[in-house]
Amino acid sequence: ASKFKQLSPAEFFYNNRSMAGFDNASRAAYTVVRELIENSLDACDVYGIPPVLYISIKTLLGDDMEILVADNGIGVPRRHMADAFGRVFFGSKYYVKQNRGTFGLGGKMAILYGQLTTGEPVDVRTSVGKDIAHMLLNIDVSENEPVIVRREDERNPGSFHGTSIRLRFKGDMVSARSRILKYLRMSRIALPYSTIVYSDPEGFFFFAPALTEQQPKPPKEAPPHPYGVDIVKIKEMIESSKRGTPLNKFLMKFSRVGVDTSQKFAEYLGLDPSLQVKRLGEPEIKRIAEGFRSYRFLPPDGSSLSPLGPETIRTGLQAEYSPEYIVVETRPPSAYEGFAFVIEAAIAYGGSIPPATGQDEARLLRFANKIPLIYDSSNDVAMKVILEDVDWRNYSLDPKNDPLIFLTHVVASKVPFKTAGKEYVADREEVRREIRLAFRECARQLKVYLSRKTYQLHEHQR
Amino acid sequence: ASKFKQLSPAEFFYNNRSMAGFDNASRAAYTVVRELIENSLDACDVYGIPPVLYISIKTLLGDDMEILVADNGIGVPRRHMADAFGRVFFGSKYYVKQNRGTFGLGGKMAILYGQLTTGEPVDVRTSVGKDIAHMLLNIDVSENEPVIVRREDERNPGSFHGTSIRLRFKGDMVSARSRILKYLRMSRIALPYSTIVYSDPEGFFFFAPALTEQQPKPPKEAPPHPYGVDIVKIKEMIESSKRGTPLNKFLMKFSRVGVDTSQKFAEYLGLDPSLQVKRLGEPEIKRIAEGFRSYRFLPPDGSSLSPLGPETIRTGLQAEYSPEYIVVETRPPSAYEGFAFVIEAAIAYGGSIPPATGQDEARLLRFANKIPLIYDSSNDVAMKVILEDVDWRNYSLDPKNDPLIFLTHVVASKVPFKTAGKEYVADREEVRREIRLAFRECARQLKVYLSRKTYQLHEHQR
Ligand SMILES: Nc1ncnc2c1ncn2[C@@H]1O[C@H](COP(=O)(O)OP(=O)(O)OP(=O)(O)O)[C@@H](O)[C@H]1O
Ligand SMILES: Nc1ncnc2c1ncn2[C@@H]1O[C@H](COP(=O)(O)OP(=O)(O)OP(=O)(O)O)[C@@H](O)[C@H]1O
Ligand SMILES: [Mg+2]
Ligand SMILES: [Mg+2]
């Protein structure tokens, strides 16, 4: 007879921690560091606070490490603190807004990994500006709840706001270190406005903003765009609408659907705009979902998103590679499943960039919502575009042999990550198409530059 | 202010369906078919029932497809039926036993995908041999519960046992078809004892067992092996032990730990074997976890696992490729995180196998618990072993140019999949090491064969 059971979310990811980036001791160490840094960055720049982060990793006796990550972010309200750090699928980033975090999982996985390798509880201090809440906690895996081992409040005379988290874990820092440093170097491109101090048993890494650096506008919460919104989501939105809401009012909950558009769209569907949405039947709801795919709505409004911008990308690539030439392309906003997204792409050529050795796939720097992606590049949708979708010979370019560095940044109110460890972006049609168009435009501009340069060289030689 | 929220497991995978293999319309169609087939196969061969499966995919009006999968498996008990098909993280495969299923998610994702693309409920009939339970159901995503749209019982005069599931969905079957057929062809290697009838809008695929085919022994539930069991799992096992359980009795819950070994291990830890486990403190529990990594226990007992066996692998490779020579290696059982596993590996050479074209990574057929893995091979731990861990020149072999086909089968009470869509196996140290040893042995045997063949050729030419 089969034994049926209900698993808790914590138990699922405890059982399947490879999915969340804890495949082995080296990748686990990297993921612990990444998840804590991204939580701190979200607590800052998503709220318009210039980030200041301190990260220190020490070796303790035996092979335990201790990581401390401290930030000047908005902090966690005391009533949510234990759940924020101790309950899987609990978080503040489930709204339609650009964040690094998206799953309500990462911080908990780091804490759980520390707990399963050392038995030690995590030590968290956080404040929104009032008293500092200080807790030691563990995660009860089968119940998916925090277990508060100790709690105390501390005075906060300076009204400091921010969070500091201290975690013990066992991991292979020696082999993770080069990737952590690569993550930090790539972060210099993505975060010219932040201060990050990192120290580990082998040394230091530090960067701080230029005095002229402008804090980018924080992302805003955005209503879903109609394109790609499916039947399940439509029904959920109908469920949460007030009783008596007419169809035209309901349609105006979507991004870029105003009075006119909602009227026209209702006519397009052959539905009366004054129909109460809570009274719509299955066939009408289906018709709306199909209309959401076929009707030409105004494109999404990119103002809710916070891209890097061409200036930042150029500055970063220049500093890192001293190329001879850089092309940057920012696509207009697009959408999938109702989520707005923007693709930024760049190609850097020549200068101090060495020729590719012919065996690399292509040298590609990948970012998603400002997170540097380092693992599993061959599966990333951007690499598939470079290797399969663009015929580089049309532009006299060879990604595997020329001195080229490629860069992509997927900016979205929800990035379609393929793994819970955020290793790479899934092969989503709408995203792949936008990356393809961006790289073709970059390639075209680079070809123009190179042929002009060749022409000038010939002119010069006469 | 941040808006905190608790997400249901269904909501998490609805939001992040790329992780579960629903990246785009083509992959989604493949995953629907795969998840339903694997549920049917588990319901049969894990219970010693020779599988008979019928799979039919029809196009309906518009671009809806309808899939029907019917099996002669053990069926689902009526009291669990709605949850089995309607509640994420509910399933019967969470025990330490080899199954294709492992997450309590796949069937629900297929059903949810049908629901979000067509709005239609799934239609399931199942029986354990008594009345046939028949339900139409949807999934309430925010609550993670089934919504039974209609239910009725039907007479079962023949005491039939089995399940049939009918699902409507939109997907790109045209582009998924070749991969589904590849999955079925690879299944012929893994399932010589089963009958599978498949029909889709383009045609048929059918295989049936040879009359002499022996049903392999079904896998057995196994206690965890101590190697790699961590602090969290030890505490859970202590929690579920009876009050007053002494340490030596507790240790004997682990695979291959008998009276002698538990005594010796307790002494190795410097702990009194009669200590009550529920009274052990943090330091003692830590010491046990560390001992579980360092002490030389007897290796896992492979009898709970159900591998393919060298005969089956040879027969399958011979039928598919008509090679000149096949080497098969089965590693002795090993363990990670307490889970026993066995690696089967094979290399087929020459005959009708064409030379590799120099641009493929390596032609590798991958199986995990008899599931054919088709996507994302470059990230799979087995591909990493072939491309990074084995120096093929030592064996005068070139995977990228010679007429070689590689095969791996990871057989485990829990396969460390990297994705919820089971696309590839994670880079787990213990698994990587075993695959490496298996392929080195295969390479060594193939080299012996080829040098003997060369020698005989020279002898002949004199
Ligand atoms: N340093 C921090 N400062 C402020 N809030 C934090 C901090 N770290 C965690 N949090 C809060 O705890 C919540 C849970 O964090 P966790 O990393 O588990 O999930 P997430 O960041 O929402 O998503 P993801 O799993 O994608 O990282 C966050 O949503 C945030 O509200
Ligand atoms: N055809 C079937 N015959 C018998 N039982 C079934 C069948 N399909 C599903 N079930 C039952 O429903 C449960 C849930 O199936 P589901 O596919 O969601 O998860 P799983 O198979 O346990 O794990 P995974 O997510 O890895 O596939 C199974 O554990 C099994 O008990
Ligand atoms: Mg996070
Ligand atoms: Mg299943």
Side-chain angles (χ1 to χ4, degrees):
Chain A
S2 358
K3 299 184 263 180
F4 285 85
K5 185 177 157 181
Q6 177 76 42
L7 221 64
S8 86
E11 222 169 347
F12 176 81
F13 284 105
Y14 166 74
N15 289 347
N16 300 295
R17 68 194 75 133
S18 307
M19 286 189 194
F22 294 85
D23 312 36
N24 50 55
S26 164
R27 204 179 283 218
Y30 173 82
T31 302
V32 165
V33 177
R34 214 210 83 229
E35 292 289 358
L36 298 182
I37 289 178
E38 287 161 26
N39 281 347
S40 289
L41 290 171
D42 275 347
C44 299
D45 65 7
V46 172
Y47 295 90
I49 300 169
V52 179
L53 263 66
Y54 174 68
I55 304 136
S56 111
I57 303 174
K58 308 205 298 269
T59 37
L60 305 176
L61 24 78
D63 49 356
D64 281 14
M65 326 284 314
E66 184 183 80
I67 181 169
L68 169 72
V69 178
D71 62 67
N72 62 334
I74 53 152
V76 185
R78 187 192 289 102
R79 70 186 180 285
H80 292 309
M81 182 186 178
D83 286 340
F85 294 105
R87 195 187 289 272
V88 172
F89 292 162
F90 185 85
S92 62
K93 304 171 194 172
Y94 289 130
Y95 295 86
V96 185
K97 187 178 182 183
Q98 178 187 336
N99 266 284
R100 293 169 185 79
T102 172
F103 301 141
L105 174 70
K108 271 76 75 179
M109 284 309 296
I111 291 167
L112 186 53
Y113 185 76
Q115 188 176 319
L116 69 92
T117 53
T118 67
E120 295 295 316
V122 65
D123 181 338
V124 191
R125 280 184 172 84
T126 189
S127 176
V128 301
K130 306 169 213 160
D131 278 1
I132 298 173
H134 182 197
M135 281 186 196
L136 268 64
L137 62 87
N138 275 323
I139 297 177
D140 180 331
V141 168
S142 41
E143 297 299 319
N144 191 30
E145 336 184 296
V147 175
I148 301 173
V149 170
R150 206 174 82 219
R151 75 185 300 170
E152 57 207 0
D153 285 349
E154 300 170 2
R155 311 267 63 203
N156 187 9
S159 292
F160 164 80
H161 57 78
T163 303
S164 87
I165 170 165
R166 188 186 297 269
L167 180 71
R168 276 174 77 154
F169 67 99
K170 291 193 209 286
D172 183 353
M173 265 303 292
V174 171
S175 127
R177 183 171 200 267
S178 62
R179 295 212 178 88
I180 294 169
L181 291 178
K182 178 169 183 184
Y183 179 96
L184 292 170
R185 279 205 313 278
M186 285 175 70
S187 295
R188 257 202 290 230
I189 300 178
L191 300 167
Y193 51 87
S194 39
T195 301
I196 298 189
V197 179
Y198 169 89
S199 93
D200 69 25
E202 311 283 329
F204 287 86
F205 183 97
F206 166 76
F207 66 87
L211 292 165
T212 54
E213 199 54 59
Q214 232 191 350
Q215 180 76 8
K217 287 198 308 26
K220 305 204 298 290
E221 189 172 347
H225 189 271
Y227 179 75
V229 174
D230 60 62
I231 294 167
V232 167
K233 187 164 258 144
I234 292 168
K235 286 184 179 178
E236 281 183 3
M237 289 177 70
I238 289 175
E239 184 93 356
S240 62
S241 302
K242 293 210 197 73
R243 208 183 315 163
T245 305
L247 177 61
N248 55 1
K249 275 272 175 291
F250 174 78
L251 292 172
M252 287 166 63
K253 293 186 175 208
F254 291 89
S255 162
R256 315 226 64 194
V257 180
V259 178
D260 268 1
T261 306
S262 76
Q263 198 73 21
K264 290 207 186 76
F265 181 66
E267 289 170 19
Y268 169 83
L269 294 179
L271 291 174
D272 176 356
S274 63
L275 271 177
Q276 288 190 31
V277 275
K278 286 198 184 289
R279 296 214 182 138
L280 291 175
E282 281 290 330
E284 289 80 50
I285 292 177
K286 261 195 202 173
R287 222 185 300 172
I288 295 174
E290 282 157 27
F292 277 170
R293 279 227 158 253
S294 51
Y295 189 80
R296 291 191 118 259
F297 290 95
L298 290 172
D301 172 5
S303 68
S304 64
L305 299 173
S306 176
L308 292 174
E311 285 316 298
T312 299
I313 292 174
R314 282 181 190 288
T315 306
L317 287 173
Q318 197 63 49
E320 194 71 18
Y321 297 101
S322 307
E324 174 188 324
Y325 195 68
I326 299 170
V327 291
V328 183
E329 176 69 7
T330 304
R331 291 288 302 158
S334 188
Y336 80 95
E337 289 176 31
F339 296 105
F341 73 93
V342 158
I343 298 299
E344 301 181 286
I347 305 179
Y349 169 85
S352 304
I353 298 173
T357 50
Q359 62 199 22
D360 289 327
E361 320 163 280
R363 284 168 301 183
L364 171 62
L365 300 174
R366 296 170 293 139
F367 295 86
N369 284 359
K370 305 189 183 178
I371 302 170
L373 309 183
I374 293 184
Y375 284 100
D376 302 335
S377 57
S378 49
N379 275 16
D380 194 287
V381 61
M383 187 64 88
K384 294 186 183 193
V385 168
I386 292 174
L387 298 184
E388 299 172 30
D389 294 2
V390 179
D391 193 346
W392 298 96
R393 296 165 307 174
N394 290 343
Y395 309 93
S396 316
L397 294 168
D398 181 356
K400 295 187 184 177
N401 284 298
D402 290 347
L404 297 168
I405 300 283
F406 298 80
L407 182 149
T408 52
H409 185 205
V410 178
V411 188
S413 45
K414 183 167 83 66
V415 174
F417 287 112
K418 181 62 183 171
T419 54
K422 294 176 188 158
E423 276 103 350
Y424 58 98
V425 181
D427 187 2
R428 185 74 216 185
E429 301 100 321
E430 300 88 334
V431 173
R432 184 162 180 164
R433 175 178 182 273
E434 289 299 311
I435 295 174
R436 177 167 61 237
L437 293 171
F439 270 132
R440 280 186 187 156
E441 179 55 24
C442 287
R444 195 192 62 74
Q445 290 181 26
L446 183 55
K447 175 179 185 180
V448 166
Y449 168 80
L450 289 175
S451 43
R452 190 172 302 154
K453 181 181 168 199
T454 311
Y455 173 76
Q456 285 168 355
L457 216 66
H458 287 167
E459 286 298 302
H460 188 77
Q461 282 166 351
R462 288 194 196 146
Chain B
S2 356
K3 297 184 266 180
F4 286 84
K5 185 177 157 182
Q6 177 76 43
L7 221 64
S8 87
E11 221 167 349
F12 177 81
F13 284 104
Y14 166 74
N15 288 348
N16 299 295
R17 69 194 75 134
S18 307
M19 288 190 191
F22 294 85
D23 314 36
N24 51 56
S26 163
R27 204 178 282 217
Y30 173 82
T31 302
V32 166
V33 177
R34 212 209 86 229
E35 293 289 358
L36 298 182
I37 289 177
E38 287 163 24
N39 280 347
S40 288
L41 290 171
D42 275 346
C44 299
D45 66 6
V46 172
Y47 296 91
I49 300 169
V52 180
L53 263 67
Y54 174 67
I55 304 135
S56 111
I57 302 174
K58 308 204 297 270
T59 37
L60 305 176
L61 26 78
D63 50 354
D64 281 15
M65 326 284 313
E66 183 184 81
I67 181 168
L68 168 73
V69 178
D71 63 66
N72 62 333
I74 52 151
V76 185
R78 186 193 289 99
R79 70 187 180 286
H80 292 308
M81 183 186 180
D83 287 341
F85 294 105
R87 196 186 290 272
V88 172
F89 294 162
F90 185 85
S92 62
K93 305 172 194 171
Y94 289 129
Y95 295 86
V96 184
K97 188 178 184 184
Q98 177 187 335
N99 266 284
R100 292 168 185 81
T102 172
F103 301 141
L105 173 71
K108 271 76 75 178
M109 284 309 296
I111 290 167
L112 186 52
Y113 186 75
Q115 188 175 320
L116 70 91
T117 53
T118 68
E120 295 295 313
V122 65
D123 180 340
V124 191
R125 279 185 173 82
T126 188
S127 175
V128 301
K130 305 170 212 160
D131 279 359
I132 297 174
H134 182 196
M135 280 184 200
L136 268 65
L137 63 86
N138 275 323
I139 297 177
D140 179 334
V141 167
S142 42
E143 296 300 319
N144 190 30
E145 329 184 302
V147 175
I148 301 172
V149 171
R150 202 173 86 221
R151 77 186 297 171
E152 58 207 359
D153 285 348
E154 301 169 1
R155 311 268 62 201
N156 186 8
S159 293
F160 163 80
H161 57 77
T163 303
S164 85
I165 172 165
R166 190 185 295 268
L167 179 71
R168 277 174 76 155
F169 68 99
K170 290 193 211 282
D172 183 355
M173 265 303 294
V174 171
S175 128
R177 184 171 199 268
S178 61
R179 295 212 177 87
I180 294 169
L181 292 177
K182 178 170 183 184
Y183 179 96
L184 292 169
R185 279 205 314 279
M186 286 175 69
S187 295
R188 257 200 293 230
I189 299 176
L191 300 168
Y193 51 86
S194 39
T195 302
I196 298 191
V197 180
Y198 168 89
S199 91
D200 68 24
E202 311 285 327
F204 286 86
F205 183 97
F206 166 74
F207 66 88
L211 293 165
T212 54
E213 198 55 60
Q214 233 192 348
Q215 180 78 4
K217 286 196 310 25
K220 304 204 298 289
E221 189 172 349
H225 189 271
Y227 179 75
V229 173
D230 59 61
I231 295 167
V232 168
K233 186 166 260 144
I234 292 168
K235 284 183 179 178
E236 281 182 2
M237 289 177 70
I238 289 176
E239 184 94 353
S240 63
S241 301
K242 292 209 197 72
R243 205 183 316 163
T245 303
L247 177 61
N248 54 1
K249 275 270 175 291
F250 174 78
L251 291 173
M252 286 166 63
K253 293 185 173 207
F254 293 88
S255 161
R256 315 226 65 192
V257 180
V259 178
D260 267 2
T261 305
S262 75
Q263 198 74 19
K264 288 209 186 77
F265 182 67
E267 288 171 21
Y268 169 84
L269 294 179
L271 292 174
D272 177 355
S274 63
L275 271 177
Q276 289 190 30
V277 274
K278 285 196 184 290
R279 297 211 181 139
L280 290 175
E282 281 291 328
E284 289 82 48
I285 292 177
K286 262 195 202 174
R287 222 185 300 174
I288 294 173
E290 281 158 28
F292 277 170
R293 278 224 158 258
S294 52
Y295 190 81
R296 294 190 116 258
F297 291 95
L298 290 171
D301 172 4
S303 68
S304 63
L305 298 172
S306 177
L308 292 174
E311 286 315 299
T312 299
I313 292 174
R314 281 180 192 288
T315 307
L317 286 173
Q318 198 63 48
E320 194 70 18
Y321 297 102
S322 306
E324 171 187 327
Y325 194 68
I326 299 170
V327 290
V328 184
E329 176 69 7
T330 304
R331 290 289 302 158
S334 190
Y336 80 96
E337 286 174 35
F339 297 105
F341 72 93
V342 157
I343 298 300
E344 301 180 287
I347 305 179
Y349 169 84
S352 305
I353 298 173
T357 51
Q359 61 200 20
D360 289 326
E361 320 161 281
R363 285 167 302 183
L364 170 62
L365 300 174
R366 295 170 293 138
F367 295 86
N369 284 357
K370 306 189 183 178
I371 300 171
L373 309 183
I374 292 183
Y375 283 100
D376 302 336
S377 57
S378 47
N379 274 16
D380 193 289
V381 62
M383 187 63 88
K384 293 186 184 193
V385 169
I386 292 174
L387 298 185
E388 298 172 30
D389 294 2
V390 179
D391 193 345
W392 298 96
R393 295 166 308 172
N394 290 343
Y395 309 93
S396 317
L397 295 169
D398 181 355
K400 295 187 184 176
N401 285 299
D402 290 346
L404 297 168
I405 300 282
F406 298 81
L407 182 149
T408 52
H409 185 206
V410 178
V411 189
S413 44
K414 182 165 84 69
V415 174
F417 288 111
K418 180 64 182 170
T419 53
K422 295 177 187 159
E423 276 104 350
Y424 58 99
V425 181
D427 187 2
R428 186 72 218 187
E429 300 101 319
E430 300 90 334
V431 173
R432 186 163 179 161
R433 175 176 183 273
E434 290 298 311
I435 295 174
R436 176 166 64 236
L437 294 170
F439 271 132
R440 280 186 188 156
E441 179 55 24
C442 288
R444 193 192 65 72
Q445 290 181 25
L446 183 55
K447 174 177 185 180
V448 166
Y449 167 81
L450 288 175
S451 45
R452 190 172 301 154
K453 181 180 166 202
T454 312
Y455 173 75
Q456 285 168 353
L457 216 66
H458 287 167
E459 286 298 302
H460 188 79
Q461 281 166 353
R462 286 190 196 152

